[in-house]
Amino acid sequence: MNADPQKRLLVLGATGAVGTLLRQVWSIDPPEHTQVIWQARTAQPGMIPFRPGAATDVFGKVDTVLSLWGGPTDLPANRTLAIEAQRIGAETGADRVLHASSIAAYLPQTGALREEDPLGNSNAYGMAKTEMEQAVQVAPGPRRCCLRLGSVAGAESLARALVEDNLIRLDQFASGHGPLRSYIAPADLAKVVLGLAHLPLNDLPQALNVGATEPIRMEALLAAANRAFHWSPAPETARETAVLDTSLLQSLVPLAPNSSDPAAIVADLHRLGVM
């Protein structure tokens, strides 16, 4: 990351799973050259209360907006909140908005998914993220980049099982293995966000896959966490492979080779007190 002047980064949806992880990372390792502004819908310590549609002067001048709000619980809100993030960016003077999308937006395939591959997953969440991306590309406001996130460690189902469940069951496919996914540790995601906030604007792509350098088997993460599990036959509808090609990310914000090491990811979660 360039040692450029102080930037102001506004995080919308700071109380969600990913926002909470970023707050934990930056409470331990405060970001350089960046002041982070956290938004919540209600008054909370260290956060600015703001509801969609309200006046944006509460935020002051902003350089980058990170839009994390929206998710699987209220699918139509993914589109409307993304457009709202564009409005907030425009009114606060931001030159870019980073929108949290998902690998779920892609049409499924067995190989590594590239940014130019077609969107339009048939499941409801994937379609909601596809519609969100389509909406922001034509919405007014600053330059936009849709972050197609894989599995953010600590914010997905396996992490919840590690914390909550005594007995973990993992789908086993005909290969003898469990699911293969593109994970990213919270500290690496924080690095990506900061790198994109400071990236020259002309280098910012419209869409970017976000994951570690290599995909990871879920059983490898469980082994690194020293957690026992039981295999269950994978249902016919389950996907063994859902992975991202992250070569573009590596050219813009390079992650360390051990970013896909299960032990390093588990160590990051321990450091943050997630598990």
Side-chain angles (χ1 to χ4, degrees), residues 31-54:
E32 296 181 353
H33 312 294
T34 308
Q35 178 188 358
V36 184
I37 308 151
W38 305 101
Q39 175 270 338
R41 294 203 178 208
T42 58
Q44 299 188 40
M47 300 190 190
I48 294 178
F50 174 88
R51 289 186 173 273

Side-chain angles (χ1 to χ4, degrees), residues 203-217:
D203 293 340
L204 187 70
Q206 288 189 338
L208 182 65
N209 289 340
V210 178
T213 54
E214 299 292 337
I216 300 168
R217 292 280 181 185

Side-chain angles (χ1 to χ4, degrees), residues 107-124:
L107 281 173
Q109 68 178 46
T110 55
L113 294 154
R114 303 166 300 172
E115 284 85 357
E116 59 267 30
D117 286 335
L119 305 184
N121 198 326
S122 59
N123 70 55

Side-chain angles (χ1 to χ4, degrees), residues 17 154-165 168 227 274:
E156 34 65 69
S157 59
L158 187 62
R160 291 192 293 272
L162 285 169
V163 174
E164 299 171 1
D165 295 346
I168 298 174
R227 285 296 303 270
V274 175

Side-chain angles (χ1 to χ4, degrees), residues 146-194:
C146 293
L147 307 181
R148 294 174 185 160
L149 299 168
S151 296
V152 179
E156 34 65 69
S157 59
L158 187 62
R160 291 192 293 272
L162 285 169
V163 174
E164 299 171 1
D165 295 346
N166 293 322
L167 179 63
I168 298 174
R169 295 193 179 275
L170 200 62
D171 286 345
Q172 186 175 37
F173 295 87
S175 65
H177 293 290
L180 181 67
R181 298 292 185 263
S182 288
Y183 272 87
I184 189 167
D188 284 330
L189 178 60
K191 178 181 179 180
V192 169
V193 170
L194 293 178

